[in-house]
């Protein structure tokens, strides 16, 4: 799984290896306009989502069964030794597949059917939570996810891994608050704020039409901007001593209730 005229890279001082290590930093990814996608499943979904690969790095000694199914002849491939690959990897237990990839030039907001759920994530900073929510939104049939506020990095390796590559195949857009609100109102969405102080439970709310599900950070919740814009406010009942759920869990409950009502 390497170029025919090369041997595996075995030096940690190789410029390509140094670049892979530098790309762990968000500023470097933004400067180059690329991201590092690791894992056979994630690379496969990135290709399905329209991303192009600048270079793919392989380590056959680490391959999983899924890694063997990739279309290896489609891109330039450089083989790394096991030691070098594990140095470049972001993971424990890597599967020998790592790619430097670029987003498509443009991504258009989708047409909106009569019954659709959109997930709006306001200021989420933890990539694991954001990735899990993108995976859940995909599984629950959400039309798309809008990322607003500051802090979230779509190319964060932890977000990509937690989403299992859904960040590439589930329509996901980074918008300003004003831009997101303008589109949602123009398309006739009902905005539903998920807040612990609301008196109406989420299963009693009408989620079967065009609904935008608004989720904020665990420590601060939704911003005042979205609380004031929302027509409905709902909460998730808590019966024990804990006063809130992990945002990924809360989002899963509301997304699947919206799916139940739509179907």
């Amino acid at each position: 799984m390497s170029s025919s005229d090369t041997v595996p890279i075995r030096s940690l001082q190789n410029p390509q290896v140094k670049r892979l290590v530098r790309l762990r930093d968000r500023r470097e990814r933004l400067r180059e306009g690329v991201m590092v996608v690791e894992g056979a499943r994630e690379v496969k979904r990135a290709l399905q989502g329209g991303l192009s690969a600048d270079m793919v790095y392989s380590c056959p000694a680490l391959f999983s069964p899924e890694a063997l199914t990739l279309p290896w002849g489609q891109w330039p491939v450089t083989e790394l030794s096991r030691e070098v690959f594990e140095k470049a990897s972001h993971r424990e237990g890597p599967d020998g597949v790592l790619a430097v990839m670029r987003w498509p030039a443009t991504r258009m907001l989708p047409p909106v059917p009569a019954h659709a759920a959109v997930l709006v994530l306001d200021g989420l900073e933890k990539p694991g939570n954001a990735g899990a929510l993108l995976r859940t939104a995909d599984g629950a049939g959400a039309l798309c996810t809008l990322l607003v506020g500051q802090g979230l990095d779509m190319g964060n390796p932890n977000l990509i891994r937690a989403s299992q590559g859904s960040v590439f195949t589930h329509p996901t857009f980074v918008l300003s608050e004003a831009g997101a609100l303008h589109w949602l109102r123009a398309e006739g969405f009902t905005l539903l704020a998920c807040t612990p102080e609301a008196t109406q439970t989420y299963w009693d709310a009408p989620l079967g039409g065009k609904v935008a599900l608004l989720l904020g950070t665990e420590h601060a919740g939704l911003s005042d901007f979205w609380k004031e814009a929302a027509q409905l406010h709902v909460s998730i009942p808590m019966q024990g001593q804990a006063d809130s759920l992990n945002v990924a869990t809360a989002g899963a409950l509301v997304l699947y209730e919206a799916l139940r009502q739509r179907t």
Side-chain angles (χ1 to χ4, degrees), residues 130-150:
L133 280 164
L134 292 175
R135 181 179 171 189
T136 302
D138 182 55
L143 178 69
C144 64
T145 295
L146 309 183
L147 308 178
V148 299
Q150 301 296 318

Side-chain angles (χ1 to χ4, degrees), residues 37-40 42 86 88-95 157 160-162:
V37 181
E38 184 171 355
E42 289 80 356
E86 289 176 343
S89 171
H90 294 82
R91 300 184 175 184
E92 293 183 9
D95 70 356
I160 294 170
R161 184 174 190 179

Side-chain angles (χ1 to χ4, degrees), residues 66-97:
E66 190 167 11
L68 295 170
T69 68
L70 287 172
W72 287 102
Q74 290 188 7
W75 346 268
V77 180
T78 296
E79 187 175 325
L80 307 178
S81 70
R82 185 172 189 143
E83 179 187 9
V84 170
F85 193 96
E86 289 176 343
K87 173 68 174 179
S89 171
H90 294 82
R91 300 184 175 184
E92 293 183 9
D95 70 356
V97 181

Side-chain angles (χ1 to χ4, degrees), residues 190 192 198-208 211 213 232-237 253-254 257-258 260-261:
T190 297
L192 184 139
T199 57
Q200 184 179 31
T201 58
Y202 72 96
W203 58 67
D204 288 328
L207 306 181
V211 61
L213 310 173
L232 296 174
H233 293 73
V234 299
S235 62
I236 298 170
L253 290 171
V254 182
E257 175 61 19
R260 186 191 70 81
Q261 291 190 26

